[in-house]
């Protein structure tokens, strides 16, 4: 089986530079989780998510981490 | 203790031709790529990497380095994609590492039944990503109301705010309609759907507000029809943009819905 020759975008696959955020969605929350000998699996991924918050999210109570579980945000102005 | 460890990218059905193709690839940290076979047709796609790069403490530190993370993620993806272009692959989560090939083979043996089932389920399918954005700037602004001498500046300001709010609400309603259209395309052409968290933060560079970030598992031959239908879902809707990514190896469908931690998995 081969992947289809047609593309969502017009560029060929080889030139398609995927966005890092789309890749991280898949590599950090998709994929089979096996318990490795270096334990950064399930529990470790949470650790990774925490670390990544500093990089991926400009830390502010307004912006929950894309990797954190949804949580109630304190102290937000009601802008309605 | 060996100074090499085994980094694994995915599970696949092995054959000579695939093994041959893999020799041309560069994996994470430029390591060569090889197959670890179980002798019964299943194999792990793997690289030998330096232990000092992937021991727990080093890994923790390095995963906080966005450049390193990005390089490893792209290399991992490059290998998965090369295998996916040839045969069905079950991608593994980033940074799955074993002490050596023998240990990795034990894990392959232990999961044999599961891996065989998953590979069968994913065969002949690819993953498409579908994102919807609310982008009011892409919609024509309503004309400002004529100045009303009757209104105090405060009231006039509030009226302006209400108009902006209505404009935003309209875009969100349009996005809701687009989402329904996308879901209909999914029901018509896809085998499964997975939902990802909406994209926010500094890596989310696209214009507008991401309101839907889903993945669909679609038979290869239905891809074109599915994408056309998805694009039609946002046709004529002001302030809504649809973005399709893919085809991807079936990352978001590698785990069963019962095992996913909520980020990916069957939607409600």
């Amino acid at each position: 089986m081969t992947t289809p020759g047609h593309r969502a975008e017009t560029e060929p696959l080889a030139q398609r530079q995927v966005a890092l955020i789309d890749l991280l969605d898949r590599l950090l929350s998709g994929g089979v989780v096996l318990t490795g000998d270096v334990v950064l699996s399930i529990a470790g991924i949470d650790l990774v998510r925490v670390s990544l918050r500093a990089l991926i999210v400009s830390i502010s109570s307004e912006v929950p981490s894309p990797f954190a579980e949804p949580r109630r945000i304190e102290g937000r102005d009601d802008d309605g | 203790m060996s100074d090499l460890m085994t980094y694994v990218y995915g599970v696949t059905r092995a054959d000579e031709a695939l093994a041959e193709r893999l020799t041309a690839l560069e994996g994470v940290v430029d390591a060569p790529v090889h197959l670890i076979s179980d002798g019964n047709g299943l194999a792990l796609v793997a690289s030998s990497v330096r232990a000092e790069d992937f021991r727990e403490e080093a890994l923790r530190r390095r995963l906080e380095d966005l450049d390193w993370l990005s390089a490893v993620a792209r290399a991992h993806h490059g290998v998965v994609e090369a295998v996916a272009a040839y045969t069905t692959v079950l991608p593994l989560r980033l940074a799955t590492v074993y002490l050596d090939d023998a240990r990795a083979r034990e894990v392959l043996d232990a999961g044999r039944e599961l891996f065989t089932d998953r590979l069968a389920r994913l065969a002949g399918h690819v993953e498409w990503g579908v994102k919807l954005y609310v982008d009011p700037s892409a919609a024509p602004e309503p004309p400002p109301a004529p100045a009303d001498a009757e209104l105090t500046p405060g009231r006039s300001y509030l009226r302006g705010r209400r108009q902006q709010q209505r404009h935003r609400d309209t875009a969100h309603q349009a996005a809701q309609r687009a989402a329904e259209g996308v879901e209909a395309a999914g029901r018509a052409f896809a085998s499964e759907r997975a939902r990802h968290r909406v994209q926010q933060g500094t890596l989310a560079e696209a214009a507008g507000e991401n309101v839907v970030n889903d993945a669909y598992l679609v038979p290869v031959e239905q891809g074109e029809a599915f994408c056309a239908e998805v694009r039609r879902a946002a046709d004529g809707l002001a302030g809504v943009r649809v973005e399709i990514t893919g085809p991807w190896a079936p990352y978001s469908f590698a785990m069963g819905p019962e095992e996913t931690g909520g980020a990916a998995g069957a939607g409600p």
Side-chain angles (χ1 to χ4, degrees):
Chain A
M1 174 206 125
T2 56
T3 46
H6 60 265
R7 300 278 158 244
E9 316 300 337
T10 50
E11 317 148 56
L13 188 61
Q15 288 166 27
R16 211 160 43 95
Q17 172 77 311
V18 301
L20 183 61
I21 194 164
D22 291 330
L23 199 49
L24 292 181
D25 276 345
R26 286 162 176 81
L27 288 177
L28 297 179
S29 71
V32 177
V33 175
L34 298 177
T35 304
D37 290 336
V38 172
V39 183
L40 270 176
S41 57
I42 314 178
I45 288 294
D46 291 337
L47 172 130
V48 171
R49 286 177 188 166
V50 170
S51 322
L52 286 175
R53 281 187 60 180
L55 297 159
I56 290 175
V57 178
S58 39
I59 292 284
S60 88
S61 58
E62 296 285 306
V63 187
S65 161
F67 300 119
E69 289 312 309
R71 57 196 165 80
R72 221 175 116 253
I73 299 165
E74 303 291 341
R76 193 174 58 178
D77 289 333
D78 179 28
D79 73 358
Chain B
M1 169 139 188
S2 162
D3 60 348
L4 289 175
M5 293 181 92
T6 300
Y7 182 106
V8 286
Y9 303 90
V11 182
T12 187
R13 277 183 236 293
D15 66 34
E16 295 280 319
L18 177 64
E20 185 61 34
R21 285 168 77 105
L22 293 182
T23 58
L25 292 180
E26 277 190 350
V28 294
V29 292
D30 303 329
V33 181
H34 64 276
L35 285 176
I36 301 172
S37 295
D38 69 351
N40 285 308
L42 273 192
L44 280 165
V45 181
S47 280
S48 293
V49 294
R50 289 188 330 177
E52 64 197 65
D53 287 334
F54 285 91
R55 282 213 184 93
E56 193 167 348
E57 197 181 317
L59 200 49
R60 277 180 201 209
R61 212 175 39 246
R62 293 222 154 107
L63 285 169
E64 297 190 25
D65 171 350
L66 193 58
D67 291 340
W68 191 87
L69 176 73
S70 164
V72 168
R74 290 197 184 282
H76 182 110
H77 176 60
V79 171
V80 166
E81 197 148 77
V83 178
Y86 177 77
T87 183
T88 309
V89 62
L90 188 60
L92 300 182
R93 191 158 292 186
L94 191 75
T96 308
V97 187
Y98 294 97
L99 294 175
D100 54 32
D101 283 12
R103 274 282 303 127
R105 193 175 288 111
E106 283 171 24
V107 173
L108 181 63
D109 284 337
R112 179 170 178 76
E113 205 171 311
L114 180 80
F115 297 145
T116 305
D117 284 356
R118 293 263 163 86
L119 284 167
R121 180 165 65 89
L122 298 173
H125 289 74
V126 291
E127 170 175 333
W128 292 96
V130 179
K131 291 186 285 183
L132 285 176
Y133 292 88
V134 169
D135 193 357
S137 65
E141 278 280 350
D148 189 336
E150 299 289 294
L151 289 181
T152 62
R155 282 183 179 282
S156 159
Y157 165 80
L158 285 174
R159 190 166 72 171
R161 279 292 301 262
R162 272 199 303 275
Q163 279 184 337
Q164 284 171 350
Q165 186 62 50
R166 269 199 297 274
H167 189 55
R168 265 204 304 271
D169 288 349
T170 307
H172 274 276
Q173 281 159 9
Q176 184 59 46
R177 276 205 300 282
E180 285 159 12
V182 169
E183 282 166 23
R187 281 192 299 274
F189 299 105
S191 314
E192 293 178 48
R193 178 182 69 181
R195 321 213 72 165
H196 288 285
R197 223 177 288 282
V198 294
Q199 297 180 345
Q200 294 168 316
T202 47
L203 286 183
E205 290 161 348
E209 178 197 354
N210 179 223
V211 292
V212 168
N213 181 18
D214 287 350
Y216 287 88
L217 185 69
V218 181
V220 171
E221 65 279 5
Q222 302 277 17
E224 211 152 338
F226 170 75
C227 290
E229 194 65 27
V230 164
R231 273 190 288 268
R232 265 198 294 278
D235 271 358
L237 293 172
V240 181
R241 199 175 74 253
V242 65
E243 197 179 291
I244 300 174
T245 62
W248 298 86
Y251 288 105
S252 307
F253 303 95
M255 307 272 284
E258 71 286 353
E259 299 163 297
T260 52

